[in-house]
C-alpha cells in the first residue's frame, strides 16, 4: 500500500505533497514512513537536505542506507552532507558502512582531495574492523581510487594487521 501511495504521489508531480510530506517527516519516528516519504520528495524533485540527518542518524539500517543514497544525489550541491556521511563509516551495520563508502566514493576527483583528510582515516578504520566483509573492503577500495597511492601509504604506515583487506584494496 505504501509503495502504491508513493507511486501515486510521485506520478502526480503535485507540489502540494512537498509541504505535507516535509511536515510529516519532521514529526514521524516510523522508519518505513520516513523511507517512503524521503523517496517521494526525491521523486517530486523536492528533496530537502535538512531532513536527511534525521534518517541518517536513525537506528534502522535500512532507512540509513536509503538516506545515504538520497544524500549521494545531492553531495555536489550540498557538500555539508559529506560530513554527515563520514561518521557512518564507523557504524556497526555493515550495509550502512558499505553504502557510505560507495557514496563517498562517488565524489568527483576534483572535489575528493578537499575531504581526503577526513575520509582516509575513517576508511582505514573500516578496514581495521575484525567483522569487515570483502564487499565493504571493495567499497573502500573503490572510494579511495582517486588517491589510492596516498591511502595505501597511510595503511602501510598504520598498525593494520588485516592482510586480506589490504590485498582486497590493492587488487581493486
Amino acid at each position: 500500500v505504501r509503495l502504491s501511495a508513493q507511486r501515486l504521489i510521485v506520478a502526480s508531480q503535485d507540489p502540494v505533497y512537498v509541504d505535507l510530506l516535509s511536515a510529516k517527516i519532521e514529526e514521524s519516528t516510523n522508519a518505513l514512513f520516513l523511507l517512503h516519504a524521503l523517496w517521494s520528495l526525491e521523486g517530486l524533485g523536492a528533496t530537502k537536505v535538512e531532513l536527511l540527518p534525521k534518517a541518517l542518524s536513525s537506528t534502522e539500517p535500512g532507512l540509513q542506507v536509503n538516506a545515504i543514497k538520497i544524500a549521494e544525489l545531492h553531495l555536489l550541491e550540498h557538500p555539508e552532507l559529506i560530513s554527515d556521511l563520514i561518521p557512518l563509516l564507523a557504524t556497526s551495520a555493515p550495509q550502512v558502512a558499505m553504502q557510505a563508502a560507495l557514496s563517498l566514493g562517488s565524489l568527483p576527483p576534483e572535489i575528493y582531495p578537499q575531504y581526503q583528510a577526513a575520509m582516509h582515516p575513517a576508511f582505514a578504520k573500516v578496514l581495521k574492523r575484525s567483522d569487515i566483509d570483502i564487499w565493504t573492503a571493495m567499497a573502500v577500495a573503490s572510494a579511495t581510487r582517486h588517491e589510492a597511492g596516498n591511502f595505501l601509504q597511510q595503511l602501510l604506515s598504520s598498525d593494520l594487521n588485516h592482510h586480506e583487506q589490504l590485498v582486497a584494496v590493492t587488487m581493486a
Side-chain angles (χ1 to χ4, degrees):
V1 174
R2 289 180 201 261
L3 191 54
S4 295
Q6 180 182 344
R7 286 181 185 148
L8 290 171
I9 289 169
V10 172
S12 76
Q13 289 297 300
D14 190 339
V16 73
Y17 290 113
V18 174
D19 290 335
L20 289 170
L21 288 169
S22 298
K24 293 291 184 187
I25 288 171
E26 289 179 0
E27 64 188 44
S28 180
T29 58
N30 182 310
L32 195 54
F33 167 77
L34 293 171
L35 183 146
H36 286 281
L38 288 169
W39 278 115
S40 294
L41 285 176
E42 181 63 33
L44 291 168
T47 294
K48 295 184 176 184
V49 296
E50 64 272 13
L51 297 174
L52 290 175
K54 178 177 185 175
L56 291 170
S57 64
S58 169
T59 58
E60 175 56 47
L63 176 58
Q64 287 180 297
V65 166
N66 279 275
I68 294 168
K69 289 178 181 181
I70 294 170
E72 178 182 338
L73 300 171
H74 302 279
L75 290 177
L76 295 181
E77 313 92 69
H78 298 281
E80 68 274 11
L81 290 171
I82 297 168
S83 297
D84 292 334
L85 297 187
I86 294 171
L88 295 175
L89 292 166
T91 185
S92 62
Q95 66 269 42
V96 175
M98 184 174 81
Q99 186 59 54
L102 291 170
S103 294
L104 289 167
S106 74
L107 292 172
E110 59 273 8
I111 292 174
Y112 187 94
Q114 297 172 39
Y115 299 95
Q116 175 181 324
M119 290 190 299
H120 280 194
F123 287 139
K125 284 182 184 176
V126 171
L127 293 178
K128 291 177 185 181
R129 290 173 51 170
S130 62
D131 63 342
I132 187 173
D133 59 57
I134 191 66
W135 300 110
T136 304
M138 295 300 286
V140 169
S142 174
T144 58
R145 71 190 177 284
H146 300 307
E147 293 288 333
N150 290 335
F151 181 66
L152 196 52
Q153 273 186 326
Q154 287 177 358
L155 283 178
L156 292 172
S157 66
S158 73
D159 61 347
L160 183 69
N161 291 320
H162 296 19
H163 303 296
E164 288 182 24
Q165 286 76 17
L166 185 55
V167 169
V169 169
T170 306
M171 294 176 59

